[in-house]
Amino acid sequence: MKKQPQKLNLKGKKITVIGGGLIGASWASLFLAQGMKVVISDPKPDIQDYFNGKLDGNIADLKKLGYTIDSDYKNHLSYVADTATAVQGADYVQENGPENPAFKQDLWQLIEANAPEHCLFLSSSSGITISQQGTKMKNSSRLLIGHPFNPPHLIPLVEILAKDNPAGVDAAMDFYHSLGKVPVLLHKETPGFVANRLQAAIFRECVSLVTDGVVNVKELDDIMTASLGIRWAVGGPFVSFHLGGGDGGFPFFLHHLGPGMELIWKDEMSKPVAYDEKTIQLLDQQVKDHYGNISLTQLAEDRDEHQIALMNTFSKMK
C-alpha cells in the first residue's frame, strides 16, 4: 500500500537553493514562507537584487493563497556563492541550475562531497533524468527529481522520480506535501517527465494550427482558456472522457468517439512541425501583434492573480 504523505514541521530547517533565477527565486519564496532557513547559492553578482525584486510579490501571492507567514521571514535568508560552503549543514537541496547534463553532473558530485549524509537532494530539472545527472556521484540513488511547474510557489504539482531509494521517495513526498504541494511519484524515467511531455504534445498541435492558418495565437489561447483549460483544471483527460461517454462511461467514449479522435491523429498530428526560421518569425510576430502592448511583468501579474483566484475557488470546493 502506498504511504500517505505526512505533514512535517519545516520551520528552522535549512534548505540550499542552487540557482536563484526564475524557478529558484520562486522556490526560495515558498521555503521562506514556511519558516525555513534559506541559502541561495548563485554566482551572479546581481542575484540579491534580482531575488529582492521577486520576493515581496511572491510572498503577497502566497498570503492570498492562505499561507500564514511570520513577519521576520527575511531574517532567514542568506546568500552564499560558493556551492560547497552553501550546502554544509543543509537538510534539503533544491537544485535549479542550467539544463545542461555536464553542468549538473559536476554540480551533484560537488554537493554530495560537502552536504550532510541526511540531506535530501532534489533537482528541479525539467527533463534531464537521474541517470544523466548522477553519473559522477558515488551514490546516485541519493538524487531525486522534484520537478515543479512554473511558478513553483503557486502551481501545486511536483513530479517526483527516484532510483532504488524508497526512503528518499517517502521523504520527498512528505517534504513537498508539507509545503502545500501536490507531489506525484513517477514510476519510471522518461525524458521530459509527464507534465512537460503533455505540454509539448499539446503545443505541437498549437503550432501546427497556427502555422497552417486555422487560427492565430490569440484565438488559440482563447479557445484553450474557454474550453480545455477549464475542463482539465477540474478533471483530467481520463475522467473528462469517462464523463464524455455519458451513461456508458469511458468504454462508450472509446468505441463511439475514439475513431473520430484517431482520424485527427492521422490528419493534423501527422504534419511535420519544427521551429525553423519561418515558423519562429510567424509565431513571434503574432505574439507581438496580440500581446506586445502589455509588458511581461504585467502579463505575469495578471496570470498569477487569475491563477490564485482559480486555486482558491477549487480549495473552497474540497
Side-chain angles (χ1 to χ4, degrees):
M1 181 179 293
K2 187 185 296 185
K3 174 183 174 291
Q4 291 299 311
Q6 304 298 307
K7 195 77 171 178
L8 305 175
N9 181 8
L10 297 174
K11 195 167 186 177
K13 295 291 186 180
K14 178 181 176 179
I15 183 162
T16 302
V17 177
I18 306 293
L22 184 67
I23 301 300
S26 182
W27 268 132
S29 301
L30 178 63
F31 300 148
L32 285 171
Q34 294 285 353
M36 300 185 76
K37 295 179 180 178
V38 177
V39 176
I40 296 179
S41 183
D42 193 307
K44 292 191 290 291
D46 63 342
I47 191 60
Q48 294 190 38
D49 292 337
Y50 176 83
F51 182 62
N52 287 336
K54 297 286 186 183
L55 180 57
D56 289 344
N58 290 348
I59 292 295
D61 288 343
L62 290 166
K63 288 180 178 178
K64 293 175 186 175
L65 281 175
Y67 284 81
T68 302
I69 301 169
D70 293 340
S71 59
D72 65 343
Y73 67 91
K74 289 184 179 180
N75 295 334
H76 302 150
L77 172 66
S78 59
Y79 300 88
V80 178
D82 179 65
T83 300
T85 304
V87 301
Q88 291 175 10
D91 299 297
Y92 303 90
V93 171
Q94 185 79 47
E95 176 269 327
N96 315 275
E99 285 293 275
N100 179 310
F103 174 87
K104 291 185 186 294
Q105 289 161 7
D106 291 339
L107 178 67
W108 286 116
Q109 183 182 38
L110 180 65
I111 292 172
E112 183 184 35
N114 290 277
E117 283 295 321
H118 74 274
C119 184
L120 190 61
F121 297 164
L122 302 160
S123 173
S124 295
S125 175
S126 60
I128 303 176
T129 63
I130 296 170
S131 297
Q132 293 174 291
Q133 292 193 50
T135 55
K136 293 185 178 180
M137 297 178 68
K138 292 180 180 178
N139 180 11
S140 62
S141 68
R142 289 189 67 185
L143 175 59
L144 293 91
I145 297 295
H147 172 237
F149 227 49
N150 185 41
H153 72 286
L154 294 183
I155 303 296
L157 176 69
V158 182
E159 295 175 299
I160 295 174
L161 189 64
K163 293 184 68 177
D164 304 318
N165 189 354
V169 168
D170 288 344
M173 295 289 282
D174 290 346
F175 173 62
Y176 289 120
H177 174 71
S178 302
L179 291 167
K181 303 282 99 178
V182 177
V184 178
L185 176 64
L186 309 187
H187 304 295
K188 62 183 293 187
E189 286 190 338
T190 183
F193 315 126
V194 175
N196 276 344
R197 290 182 70 93
L198 293 172
Q199 183 171 243
I202 293 170
F203 196 62
R204 181 191 188 280
E205 186 63 4
C206 294
V207 172
S208 176
L209 289 165
V210 171
T211 56
D212 200 34
V214 178
V215 287
N216 62 42
V217 295
K218 178 62 166 60
E219 291 161 344
L220 193 139
D221 281 351
D222 288 344
I223 288 170
M224 176 61 74
T225 56
S227 60
L228 292 179
I230 297 172
R231 175 186 285 177
W232 286 356
V234 177
F238 284 100
V239 71
S240 294
F241 287 140
H242 183 41
L243 293 170
D247 292 341
F250 197 61
F252 182 89
F253 168 81
L254 289 181
H255 288 296
H256 293 272
L257 300 177
M261 184 173 286
E262 287 182 329
L263 290 176
I264 297 174
W265 288 347
K266 294 175 183 177
D267 176 29
E268 292 297 330
M269 296 185 185
S270 65
K271 295 181 179 180
V273 176
Y275 290 130
D276 54 36
E277 195 58 36
K278 181 180 179 181
T279 299
I280 291 173
Q281 289 181 4
L282 174 67
L283 298 177
D284 183 50
Q285 187 58 54
Q286 288 200 20
V287 169
K288 288 177 180 175
D289 289 344
H290 294 289
Y291 300 112
N293 62 329
I294 308 174
S295 71
L296 289 172
T297 299
Q298 187 61 54
L299 282 171
E301 288 177 355
D302 291 345
R303 175 203 63 192
D304 292 348
E305 181 181 348
H306 294 144
Q307 189 72 61
I308 290 166
L310 186 67
M311 291 168 64
N312 280 333
T313 297
F314 289 154
S315 67
K316 292 174 183 176
M317 294 169 58
K318 293 182 179 179

